[in-house]
Amino acid sequence: METTNLFRLDGRIALVTGGSRGIGKMIAAGFIAQGAKVYISSRKPAACAEAAVELGPNCIALPQDVSTVAGCQALAAQIAALEPRLDILVNNAGAAWGAPFEAFPESGWDKVMDLNVKSPFFLTQALHDLLKASGRREQPAKVINITSIDGIRLNPQETYSYHASKSALIYLTRRMAARLVRDAINVTSIAPGAFASEMNRVARDHGDAVAKLIPARRIGVDEDMAGAAIYLASRAGDYVIGETITVDGGVAHANTGSGFSE
């Protein structure tokens, strides 16, 4: 059995949405380090271009707002004009919204549900032909949805649409996996916990305090996220289908309930 290249991505073509910062950028950097050519997309062209320069010549910026179906289709058309296939799609672009129950606005519901649930589905749909062009039984194409441990367990914040959207995306991952496996496309998800990012400013700005509430006693770092994504994207993860992997230092599944491990 050949094991030396289990985690390599040489010659693979990937697209990471929300790839200019945070978790998306961590994943893009990990893929590039394993030999992949990575397109990153975000709605801010300058930030996207800056990140691509930082990540090196195997990273290409494709700015696009994927919060609408039209935006998803436009991004798919951009990729199709550049590549004959797509080996790996990471649906990472997302949004959060917090507000008290009594005042939670429709705009905060629709924005989050559209970007976190609707967009991953319709972007994957728009890229279906390119993913099928890559997928083979001996080397399936990969779709990795970035969900959240907030789709598995509650946090203390009143983030109603975010909780609902991430739970929905975890189950949508399973439904999409059941269909797309017929085309040699494996669909999985990663549910991150506390990683320092613009979306998770508490972990970014108060990492030491947050770490005390995590069984592993630290917040996540770039290698933790990159490692999980590389596993699912590479030969090592070829037999993983429909699964959600939590990457959270034990918060969702190894917590005593007090917020501290024994």
Side-chain angles (χ1 to χ4, degrees):
M1 180 176 62
E2 176 61 53
T3 59
T4 57
N5 295 316
L6 272 179
F7 298 94
R8 294 295 303 174
L9 297 171
D10 300 290
R12 306 286 272 171
I13 300 165
L15 169 63
V16 181
T17 66
S20 66
R21 66 185 188 185
I23 283 172
K25 189 176 178 183
M26 296 174 197
I27 291 172
F31 285 176
I32 291 166
Q34 293 301 312
K37 178 182 180 182
V38 180
Y39 291 90
I40 58 170
S41 186
S42 71
R43 63 186 176 86
K44 296 180 179 179
C48 200
E50 183 179 341
V53 170
E54 181 183 340
L55 292 173
N58 285 330
C59 186
I60 301 97
L62 282 182
Q64 185 61 248
D65 183 353
V66 295
S67 63
T68 66
V69 175
C72 292
Q73 293 171 341
L75 180 56
Q78 286 178 278
I79 288 283
L82 296 168
E83 301 290 350
R85 70 180 201 280
L86 182 65
D87 302 305
I88 305 159
L89 168 62
V90 179
N91 286 310
N92 168 70
W97 196 293
F101 175 78
E102 297 84 355
F104 201 93
E106 183 179 10
S107 59
W109 186 270
D110 290 347
K111 176 181 178 179
V112 172
M113 294 297 287
D114 281 354
L115 187 55
N116 293 7
V117 184
K118 188 175 178 180
S119 292
F121 178 83
F122 283 101
L123 181 57
T124 306
Q125 182 191 68
L127 289 166
H128 188 203
D129 286 344
L130 286 183
L131 290 162
K132 283 195 295 184
S134 165
R136 308 187 307 278
R137 292 297 167 202
E138 63 274 16
Q139 189 177 61
K142 305 293 181 68
V143 176
I144 303 170
N145 296 322
I146 304 304
T147 55
S148 171
I149 60 168
D150 288 356
I152 298 170
R153 61 74 166 128
L154 293 175
N155 74 34
Q157 284 76 49
E158 292 188 89
T159 52
Y160 297 99
S161 53
Y162 187 76
H163 274 89
S165 71
K166 293 303 185 177
S167 293
L169 187 54
I170 286 170
Y171 213 91
L172 180 60
T173 295
R174 295 173 63 184
R175 177 61 263 180
M176 291 170 65
R179 165 61 183 86
L180 296 182
V181 69
R182 293 171 9 204
D183 300 321
I185 302 167
N186 291 4
V187 185
T188 56
S189 97
I190 297 172
F195 283 79
S197 68
E198 182 66 22
M199 185 177 292
N200 193 337
R201 297 178 187 177
V202 175
R204 184 192 67 185
D205 299 337
H206 307 284
D208 290 343
V210 172
K212 294 177 181 178
L213 303 175
I214 298 172
R217 290 295 192 271
R218 65 175 179 85
I219 66 170
V221 297
D222 292 16
E223 292 83 358
D224 298 317
M225 185 50 53
I230 290 164
Y231 163 63
L232 291 174
S234 67
R235 169 66 186 90
D238 280 359
Y239 209 50
V240 181
I241 300 172
E243 185 59 79
T244 293
I245 296 179
T246 55
V247 184
D248 69 348
V251 172
H253 300 305
N255 206 323
T256 62
S258 65
F260 295 85
S261 61
E262 296 296 333

